[in-house]
Amino acid sequence: MALIRLDKKAYEHNLTLIASKAGGFDRIICVLKDNAYGHGDFLIAPLARSLGVKFVAFRNEDEALKFSDLFDNILILSHIPNSKENENFIYALNSKEHLYKYKSGTKLHIAIDTGMHRNGISLDDIAFIFKEAKNLGLDILGLFTHFASSDEYDASFFVQREKFRQAKKIAQSLSSKKLSFHSHNSSALFRSAFLDDDELCRVGLVQFGYCAFENSLKKVLSLYAHKLSQRILRKNEALGYGLRFFAKEDINIATYDLGYADGLFRYDASAQLLLANKKPILGKMSMDSFSWEDFGDELCVFDDVSSWAKFFNTIEYEILVKLNSKIKRVLS
């Protein structure tokens, strides 16, 4: 059956590098949402904890509940308030209107809209939010923002960073607590000369070896397929749906057990999609399988998704998070 292998030493290398850049493991928030970007949160979360990470972020409560006993702080990024919030979690306040829907006593990190205009509170509303939260019995523990273009060379990153610094000053003047702040995501951390002394960093895909601003990262995930069948495709015979591939000579071929139902993109054979050893898939990809030259019982589909992302005109994130959670994952 198909298999995902995770390189433990590669993850340890990457997280150590992040900690060195950030100023320590206690300044890292590891974002493990969406099955740890497809890698397998049930393997990655305990590994992160063993390395010294104490603060993580998930998409929703269902993800977080699996690890509620493992970390000191867990931030829920995309929760819609329902007055049933878990006292063990911290919730992102993404909308001013949501303030009145949380259960009294809920711990919050306020999302600040510094220019991405996706979620968050404007700087002009910070004072109002603090006042109302106090009246409602809500516990504001921190502020954060998200950069729209930290992975691109434009000025918006610096504009947003300055707005967030202004937001921090406003918030700190309104609170008697030492608030937590985090704005730097993976790209922002490594494109910046330093992390502000009062900030944590909130890292996602860089944990797994992908960041345009750091070349020494190591890829954590490799995807493998296993042989279902084999045959000789004779000269001038065609293969697969639509009979898009014609053999120019006799070829030993095999069918392997991965397809678009496993999260791979539907390859239509309009160009050559190369596997890890630089040879192409033969014909169209099927729902549960694809064909290739007979490489043996196990075939590495990719150990770096960058080439697949480029082929499909997308980003590494999309390739990885689509990997079916039912594919077996092993850490070694």
Side-chain angles (χ1 to χ4, degrees):
M1 64 191 306
L3 179 68
I4 288 172
R5 290 194 174 98
L6 304 175
D7 187 330
K8 180 180 179 181
K9 289 185 178 180
Y11 186 78
E12 291 173 346
H13 166 84
N14 295 342
L15 213 60
T16 300
L17 187 65
I18 293 166
S20 176
K21 178 71 175 179
F25 284 96
D26 59 343
R27 298 187 68 185
I28 300 174
I29 302 174
C30 283
V31 181
L32 302 179
K33 64 179 182 177
D34 298 298
N35 201 23
Y37 295 80
H39 288 68
D41 54 12
F42 65 101
L43 292 173
I44 295 299
L47 180 55
R49 184 65 185 91
S50 71
L51 293 170
V53 173
K54 298 179 181 180
F55 199 155
V56 294
F58 291 101
R59 179 179 182 176
N60 55 42
E61 288 178 320
D62 287 343
E63 291 181 347
L65 282 168
K66 296 181 290 184
F67 308 104
S68 58
D69 296 332
L70 198 59
F71 297 97
D72 295 347
N73 295 294
I74 295 179
L75 173 65
I76 310 297
L77 294 168
S78 300
H79 173 74
I80 299 174
N82 55 18
S83 298
K84 299 178 182 179
E85 284 70 35
N86 190 316
E87 63 183 11
N88 295 316
F89 299 149
I90 303 167
Y91 294 86
L93 174 64
N94 291 307
S95 172
K96 178 181 176 181
E97 289 70 28
H98 284 173
L99 189 66
Y100 303 97
K101 300 178 181 181
Y102 290 100
K103 181 175 70 175
S104 179
T106 297
K107 295 180 287 188
L108 298 176
H109 275 200
I110 303 174
I112 303 298
D113 182 6
T114 56
M116 189 173 183
H117 304 316
R118 183 178 67 177
N119 293 318
I121 310 302
S122 71
L123 270 68
D124 292 339
D125 284 330
I126 293 175
F128 171 82
I129 293 295
F130 269 84
K131 179 181 177 181
E132 287 296 285
K134 184 177 181 180
N135 293 335
L136 294 166
L138 303 175
D139 191 6
I140 296 176
L141 300 180
L143 273 67
F144 71 100
T145 196
H146 197 74
F147 294 119
S149 304
S150 62
D151 56 345
E152 300 176 15
Y153 288 104
D154 67 18
S156 69
F157 166 69
F158 302 102
V159 172
Q160 284 191 261
R161 188 172 64 177
E162 181 55 35
K163 285 185 178 180
F164 189 63
R165 286 172 174 168
Q166 295 174 26
K168 289 191 293 185
K169 291 180 181 178
I170 295 170
Q172 202 62 78
S173 72
L174 297 168
S175 176
S176 60
K177 297 181 178 180
K178 183 179 180 181
L179 300 173
S180 294
F181 302 116
H182 46 105
S183 61
H184 284 54
N185 54 9
S186 295
S187 296
L189 177 66
F190 281 96
R191 75 173 289 181
S192 300
F194 59 89
L195 186 66
D196 285 358
D197 290 339
D198 61 354
E199 284 208 33
L200 309 175
C201 64
R202 192 180 62 251
V203 293
L205 201 60
V206 69
Q207 300 170 77
F208 307 109
Y210 295 91
C211 180
F213 299 103
E214 181 51 58
N215 296 324
S216 65
L217 295 164
K218 297 181 179 181
K219 306 299 185 288
V220 172
L221 182 149
S222 299
L223 176 65
Y224 292 84
H226 293 91
K227 185 160 62 176
L228 290 170
S229 65
Q230 63 192 71
R231 69 198 67 244
I232 297 175
L233 189 68
R234 300 297 183 182
K235 181 178 179 179
N236 294 325
E237 286 185 334
L239 171 67
Y241 285 117
L243 303 177
R244 293 289 296 274
F245 176 78
F246 284 85
K248 296 179 180 179
E249 58 185 3
D250 291 357
I251 309 173
N252 291 320
I253 66 167
T255 298
Y256 290 90
D257 66 343
L258 273 172
Y260 57 80
D262 299 297
L264 300 181
F265 282 32
R266 186 180 178 275
Y267 169 63
D268 65 3
S270 59
Q272 288 193 333
L273 175 60
L274 303 182
L275 275 68
N277 57 7
K278 309 303 181 185
K279 291 189 177 182
I281 290 176
L282 304 179
K284 292 185 178 183
M285 183 175 290
S286 299
M287 183 181 293
D288 305 310
S289 63
F290 66 86
S291 297
W292 201 73
E293 292 183 36
D294 190 345
F295 187 75
D297 290 337
E298 183 177 83
L299 171 66
C300 184
V301 178
F302 55 68
D303 52 14
D304 182 342
V305 301
S306 299
S307 60
W308 279 56
K310 183 177 180 180
F311 181 90
F312 287 106
N313 192 32
T314 185
I315 56 177
E316 291 91 350
Y317 293 77
E318 189 175 10
I319 303 291
L320 290 167
V321 299
K322 288 182 182 296
L323 293 175
N324 198 315
S325 60
K326 295 180 181 178
I327 300 174
K328 183 178 180 180
R329 288 155 168 82
V330 297
L331 184 67
S332 59

